[in-house]
Amino acid sequence: MKLINLLIFAILVTRNVVHCLNLPSPKVTVTLESIFQEGLLVQPRENLYILGTVHIGSKSAQEAELLIETVKPANVVVEIPPSRLKRLQKKASQMRIKEAERKVSSYAGINATPTGKAGSFKGADLLSAIGLFPALASEGYAKGGLSGMLFCTIIVWGSLLKHSTTIGEEADSLPRRNEFEAAVMASENVGAAVIPADFEFEDLIQTVATSMTPLSWANFGFTLFCESIGLREPDPIRRGKQESMVDWELRRRNVETARASRAHGEISNPELSEVLVNVRDRAFARICMDLLDNDKDKLGGPTVCVVGLVHLDGIVDSCGQQSPMTEKTQ
């Protein structure tokens, strides 16, 4: 299981490595006011800030850093499991050591800048994704039977495979910085406690397995088939055939796109949507509210929550107050 988690983690962060070896992120002017205006940042309680992010490009990473550096929270809730937090913290420590070594080398007149091409990573990453299939299928079946295996191979592996085919293009046009990694590093810089709020992978497999019946999977497969031949509209968050990476990021950063994607999931597969979205929304919100209650007694600082944009409305609603964007659209 640990090997599978490490391989998945390696695939998801390879784009960040590619970015480090190539072009710097494009300069993006980010302000808290602009994030609020876009509806990506909501403050449902006096001491609670919830930031919705997209898993593409570098803007979300910059926004997470700005929010944490400005607010200087006592706690930062992040949409990652505890095991991933440990890996990110280890990576952050290694990066700080390398940065110190780089500065020493520069003072000594040694060129320590790595070189490489983004395209060289694409084939290796694709092969890594393909090689994960047997391990994911085996782990899924071991943790959740047939339902767990279907989840791991159709949804998890399918997502990894798609990501692996766009690494070169993304590195060239829209360098990726992981917003959760940025949030963890920014939290350490301001002395905030990081709370990993998501399920571990094996727990998620078991939760999905108990929620999805054979009929649910049959309906899901039929829906995918109908979408592939044009009989049904696909998930609005999917990339269009002629859509550039930059345009796709811009569309995914629209709150209405996230809401449309959420509504699509609730219709196409309500059981899976309940587990992957609603249950996690409530878990994230409960952690945030518990932290607020604890910090209120201790006169602590604010709490920041960094999650995928599709979770934003659900967490805000669970915290007892609708977001401004929701109120405007009703």
mmCIF file of all heavy atoms in Angstrom, residues 60-76:
data_model
loop_
_atom_site.group_PDB
_atom_site.id
_atom_site.type_symbol
_atom_site.label_atom_id
_atom_site.label_comp_id
_atom_site.label_asym_id
_atom_site.label_seq_id
_atom_site.Cartn_x
_atom_site.Cartn_y
_atom_site.Cartn_z
ATOM 1 N N SER A 60 -3.491 28.904 -7.969
ATOM 2 C CA SER A 60 -4.028 28.453 -6.683
ATOM 3 C C SER A 60 -2.934 28.364 -5.628
ATOM 4 O O SER A 60 -3.163 28.661 -4.457
ATOM 5 C CB SER A 60 -4.725 27.098 -6.847
ATOM 6 O OG SER A 60 -5.947 27.236 -7.541
ATOM 7 N N ALA A 61 -1.742 27.949 -6.046
ATOM 8 C CA ALA A 61 -0.617 27.885 -5.109
ATOM 9 C C ALA A 61 -0.258 29.283 -4.609
ATOM 10 O O ALA A 61 -0.012 29.491 -3.412
ATOM 11 C CB ALA A 61 0.589 27.233 -5.775
ATOM 12 N N GLN A 62 -0.243 30.254 -5.511
ATOM 13 C CA GLN A 62 0.071 31.631 -5.134
ATOM 14 C C GLN A 62 -0.998 32.192 -4.197
ATOM 15 O O GLN A 62 -0.692 32.905 -3.232
ATOM 16 C CB GLN A 62 0.188 32.503 -6.380
ATOM 17 C CG GLN A 62 1.374 32.134 -7.263
ATOM 18 C CD GLN A 62 1.407 32.940 -8.546
ATOM 19 O OE1 GLN A 62 0.413 33.558 -8.923
ATOM 20 N NE2 GLN A 62 2.535 32.936 -9.216
ATOM 21 N N GLU A 63 -2.256 31.855 -4.470
ATOM 22 C CA GLU A 63 -3.352 32.338 -3.634
ATOM 23 C C GLU A 63 -3.294 31.728 -2.237
ATOM 24 O O GLU A 63 -3.549 32.416 -1.234
ATOM 25 C CB GLU A 63 -4.684 32.027 -4.318
ATOM 26 C CG GLU A 63 -4.914 32.872 -5.556
ATOM 27 C CD GLU A 63 -5.997 32.338 -6.466
ATOM 28 O OE1 GLU A 63 -6.455 31.204 -6.256
ATOM 29 O OE2 GLU A 63 -6.378 33.050 -7.411
ATOM 30 N N ALA A 64 -2.967 30.448 -2.151
ATOM 31 C CA ALA A 64 -2.836 29.804 -0.843
ATOM 32 C C ALA A 64 -1.712 30.445 -0.034
ATOM 33 O O ALA A 64 -1.864 30.715 1.167
ATOM 34 C CB ALA A 64 -2.582 28.305 -1.029
ATOM 35 N N GLU A 65 -0.592 30.692 -0.690
ATOM 36 C CA GLU A 65 0.533 31.337 -0.015
ATOM 37 C C GLU A 65 0.161 32.728 0.469
ATOM 38 O O GLU A 65 0.444 33.103 1.616
ATOM 39 C CB GLU A 65 1.735 31.415 -0.959
ATOM 40 C CG GLU A 65 2.391 30.085 -1.246
ATOM 41 C CD GLU A 65 3.450 30.170 -2.312
ATOM 42 O OE1 GLU A 65 3.401 31.116 -3.145
ATOM 43 O OE2 GLU A 65 4.330 29.302 -2.359
ATOM 44 N N LEU A 66 -0.472 33.520 -0.404
ATOM 45 C CA LEU A 66 -0.844 34.894 -0.040
ATOM 46 C C LEU A 66 -1.805 34.905 1.138
ATOM 47 O O LEU A 66 -1.635 35.690 2.086
ATOM 48 C CB LEU A 66 -1.478 35.593 -1.242
ATOM 49 C CG LEU A 66 -2.039 36.995 -0.970
ATOM 50 C CD1 LEU A 66 -0.921 37.960 -0.600
ATOM 51 C CD2 LEU A 66 -2.818 37.514 -2.176
ATOM 52 N N LEU A 67 -2.816 34.044 1.103
ATOM 53 C CA LEU A 67 -3.804 34.001 2.170
ATOM 54 C C LEU A 67 -3.151 33.658 3.505
ATOM 55 O O LEU A 67 -3.394 34.321 4.521
ATOM 56 C CB LEU A 67 -4.886 32.973 1.826
ATOM 57 C CG LEU A 67 -5.955 32.722 2.895
ATOM 58 C CD1 LEU A 67 -6.708 34.001 3.208
ATOM 59 C CD2 LEU A 67 -6.904 31.615 2.440
ATOM 60 N N ILE A 68 -2.318 32.650 3.515
ATOM 61 C CA ILE A 68 -1.691 32.203 4.765
ATOM 62 C C ILE A 68 -0.690 33.238 5.276
ATOM 63 O O ILE A 68 -0.637 33.528 6.473
ATOM 64 C CB ILE A 68 -1.014 30.837 4.545
ATOM 65 C CG1 ILE A 68 -2.083 29.775 4.296
ATOM 66 C CG2 ILE A 68 -0.145 30.453 5.741
ATOM 67 C CD1 ILE A 68 -1.548 28.453 3.799
ATOM 68 N N GLU A 69 0.080 33.825 4.367
ATOM 69 C CA GLU A 69 1.062 34.828 4.781
ATOM 70 C C GLU A 69 0.391 36.097 5.286
ATOM 71 O O GLU A 69 0.924 36.788 6.162
ATOM 72 C CB GLU A 69 1.983 35.147 3.605
ATOM 73 C CG GLU A 69 2.930 33.998 3.249
ATOM 74 C CD GLU A 69 3.629 34.211 1.920
ATOM 75 O OE1 GLU A 69 3.346 35.256 1.266
ATOM 76 O OE2 GLU A 69 4.442 33.358 1.525
ATOM 77 N N THR A 70 -0.795 36.418 4.749
ATOM 78 C CA THR A 70 -1.502 37.630 5.162
ATOM 79 C C THR A 70 -2.265 37.424 6.464
ATOM 80 O O THR A 70 -2.195 38.244 7.389
ATOM 81 C CB THR A 70 -2.485 38.079 4.055
ATOM 82 O OG1 THR A 70 -1.778 38.281 2.831
ATOM 83 C CG2 THR A 70 -3.197 39.368 4.450
ATOM 84 N N VAL A 71 -3.010 36.331 6.544
ATOM 85 C CA VAL A 71 -3.864 36.071 7.700
ATOM 86 C C VAL A 71 -3.052 35.581 8.901
ATOM 87 O O VAL A 71 -3.411 35.828 10.047
ATOM 88 C CB VAL A 71 -4.946 35.030 7.322
ATOM 89 C CG1 VAL A 71 -5.748 34.601 8.543
ATOM 90 C CG2 VAL A 71 -5.874 35.613 6.263
ATOM 91 N N LYS A 72 -1.945 34.867 8.608
ATOM 92 C CA LYS A 72 -1.126 34.239 9.652
ATOM 93 C C LYS A 72 -1.999 33.432 10.621
ATOM 94 O O LYS A 72 -2.092 33.738 11.821
ATOM 95 C CB LYS A 72 -0.316 35.290 10.403
ATOM 96 C CG LYS A 72 0.775 35.921 9.553
ATOM 97 C CD LYS A 72 1.572 36.943 10.319
ATOM 98 C CE LYS A 72 2.764 37.437 9.501
ATOM 99 N NZ LYS A 72 2.415 37.922 8.148
ATOM 100 N N PRO A 73 -2.627 32.382 10.101
ATOM 101 C CA PRO A 73 -3.576 31.606 10.904
ATOM 102 C C PRO A 73 -2.884 30.746 11.958
ATOM 103 O O PRO A 73 -1.674 30.483 11.878
ATOM 104 C CB PRO A 73 -4.267 30.723 9.862
ATOM 105 C CG PRO A 73 -3.210 30.519 8.815
ATOM 106 C CD PRO A 73 -2.462 31.824 8.746
ATOM 107 N N ALA A 74 -3.683 30.307 12.914
ATOM 108 C CA ALA A 74 -3.175 29.352 13.900
ATOM 109 C C ALA A 74 -3.195 27.943 13.321
ATOM 110 O O ALA A 74 -2.352 27.111 13.643
ATOM 111 C CB ALA A 74 -4.023 29.411 15.165
ATOM 112 N N ASN A 75 -4.190 27.694 12.448
ATOM 113 C CA ASN A 75 -4.359 26.370 11.861
ATOM 114 C C ASN A 75 -4.632 26.476 10.369
ATOM 115 O O ASN A 75 -5.315 27.409 9.922
ATOM 116 C CB ASN A 75 -5.540 25.629 12.514
ATOM 117 C CG ASN A 75 -5.417 25.570 14.020
ATOM 118 O OD1 ASN A 75 -4.552 24.891 14.548
ATOM 119 N ND2 ASN A 75 -6.285 26.294 14.711
ATOM 120 N N VAL A 76 -4.130 25.506 9.610
ATOM 121 C CA VAL A 76 -4.415 25.414 8.184
ATOM 122 C C VAL A 76 -4.905 24.000 7.894
ATOM 123 O O VAL A 76 -4.170 23.025 8.073
ATOM 124 C CB VAL A 76 -3.177 25.735 7.319
ATOM 125 C CG1 VAL A 76 -3.503 25.552 5.833
ATOM 126 C CG2 VAL A 76 -2.696 27.159 7.579
#
